[in-house]
Amino acid sequence: VISDQPVRPYDNTQNMGETNLLTSLPLQIENDFNIFIQNDTPLSGEKSWYLDLDLNECASDLSATLTWYDPPGANGCMKCLTNDLDLQIENLSSSKRYYPNGKSKP
C-alpha cells in the first residue's frame, strides 16, 4: 500500500475492496510493469479456463486477479452468489499450487 494512497478495507456487504490504480494498471510515468487482461471468457457448469505464462525472465512477483459479474440477488438474500469461481495458480516446474489470500486449498 502506498502511504499517500490509502486503501479502504474489504466491504462485506458489496464483496469488493477499493482498487489502487497505481499498483493495478500500468500508468505511463507513474509505474513500470506489464499487464495481461482476458475479458468476457464464457464458462459454464464445471468448466475451467487455463493460461500458460513463461515467467522465467520475469524479475518481479506475479499478481493475479479474478473478477466476474453476478446477477443481483433477491432482496434480503443472505447467500446470493450465483457463480462460484476459484482462482488457482500452479508452477508447472515445481507443481506447487497457489490459492488466493494465502489459503492452502480452494
Side-chain angles (χ1 to χ4, degrees):
V1 176
I2 300 171
S3 61
D4 66 339
Q5 300 289 322
V7 176
R8 293 186 190 144
Y10 185 81
D11 180 346
N12 286 312
T13 304
Q14 294 291 327
N15 295 316
M16 62 188 78
E18 184 175 280
T19 302
N20 182 332
L21 294 180
L22 287 176
T23 59
S24 302
L25 293 174
L27 300 171
Q28 200 171 43
I29 303 173
E30 297 293 332
N31 55 35
D32 182 27
F33 62 89
N34 294 320
I35 189 168
F36 171 82
I37 297 173
Q38 179 70 33
N39 192 30
D40 293 333
T41 301
L43 293 175
S44 62
E46 295 293 320
K47 300 213 173 164
S48 297
W49 183 78
Y50 298 93
L51 172 67
D52 290 329
L53 298 173
D54 182 357
L55 302 176
N56 291 325
E57 303 291 324
C58 187
S60 60
D61 293 335
L62 172 69
S63 176
T65 302
L66 173 66
T67 62
W68 68 92
Y69 306 105
D70 256 348
N75 286 338
C77 182
M78 299 304 286
K79 293 193 176 193
C80 307
L81 186 64
T82 302
N83 299 300
D84 183 10
L85 303 180
D86 298 308
L87 175 65
Q88 172 183 301
I89 297 175
E90 181 178 3
N91 181 330
L92 296 177
S93 299
S94 68
S95 297
K96 183 172 180 180
R97 292 183 179 171
Y98 300 88
Y99 301 98
N101 305 319
K103 294 180 180 179
S104 59
K105 59 184 179 179

